Amino acid sequence: LGRVAHQVAICMWGVEEVQMFAAIGMTARLLGSGSAEQGARRYRTARELQDLLVGAGLTNVETCELDVTAAYVDFEEFWRALGRQVGPAGAWLHGLDDHRRALAHDELHKQLGSPSGAFELHGRAYGARAAGAGGRTAVGDAADRRQA
């Protein structure tokens, strides 16, 4: 037999709190090519995640911040990763013609501080977890199993 934990957990990147997203967003605005994160800005703060879960009838909502760092050997490593077309930023880059992609390369390099070698980018994600309405938490279930 298995028991359901009756919990929901979600995690979303911040937007301005992620150096990569901020630099890509500024590059897109300066090129006049629209936003790389168009339509992807909901539920990007701890408060928005909390409101989402409470609005869904969940209880005991807890939120947290998760800080991360990504290291790159150089800007070209970062650029190649972006060129793999992952997420809204990769889709934005893929939608540019060759000329605008070259402009984006140079502007994004500038927005990231013109790194000439290894560099790091920092970011923050927001997480939240909650119990189902009237549900028991996984912690409570584990305590019950130990007592049995």
Side-chain angles (χ1 to χ4, degrees), residues 61-82:
V61 177
E62 299 174 20
T63 61
C64 66
E65 296 175 352
L66 306 163
D67 293 315
V68 298
T69 301
Y72 296 92
V73 172
D74 57 20
F75 178 77
E76 294 309 316
E77 179 188 24
F78 170 81
W79 184 254
R80 283 189 303 276
L82 186 61

Side-chain angles (χ1 to χ4, degrees), residues 36-49:
E37 291 288 317
Q38 200 112 14
R41 292 190 177 253
R42 291 186 68 195
Y43 311 119
R44 299 302 184 130
T45 67
R47 181 66 188 184
E48 289 174 328
L49 294 179

Side-chain angles (χ1 to χ4, degrees), residues 54-131:
V54 169
L58 300 170
T59 60
N60 300 325
V61 177
E62 299 174 20
T63 61
C64 66
E65 296 175 352
L66 306 163
D67 293 315
V68 298
T69 301
Y72 296 92
V73 172
D74 57 20
F75 178 77
E76 294 309 316
E77 179 188 24
F78 170 81
W79 184 254
R80 283 189 303 276
L82 186 61
R84 291 189 185 108
Q85 303 175 30
V86 175
W92 164 76
L93 182 62
H94 179 69
L96 300 176
D97 62 32
D98 289 343
H99 174 71
R100 294 186 79 65
R101 193 172 297 119
L103 293 173
H105 175 279
D106 295 345
E107 184 58 38
L108 187 53
H109 184 257
K110 179 180 167 186
Q111 290 298 322
L112 293 174
S114 302
S116 60
F119 69 104
E120 294 181 338
L121 294 176
H122 304 279
R124 174 170 288 158
Y126 296 98
R129 70 178 178 178

Side-chain angles (χ1 to χ4, degrees), residues 3-19:
R3 291 178 67 172
V4 176
H6 300 289
Q7 285 202 350
V8 173
I10 53 177
C11 184
M12 295 290 287
W13 288 111
V15 176
E16 294 303 319
E17 301 88 348
V18 178
Q19 287 179 308

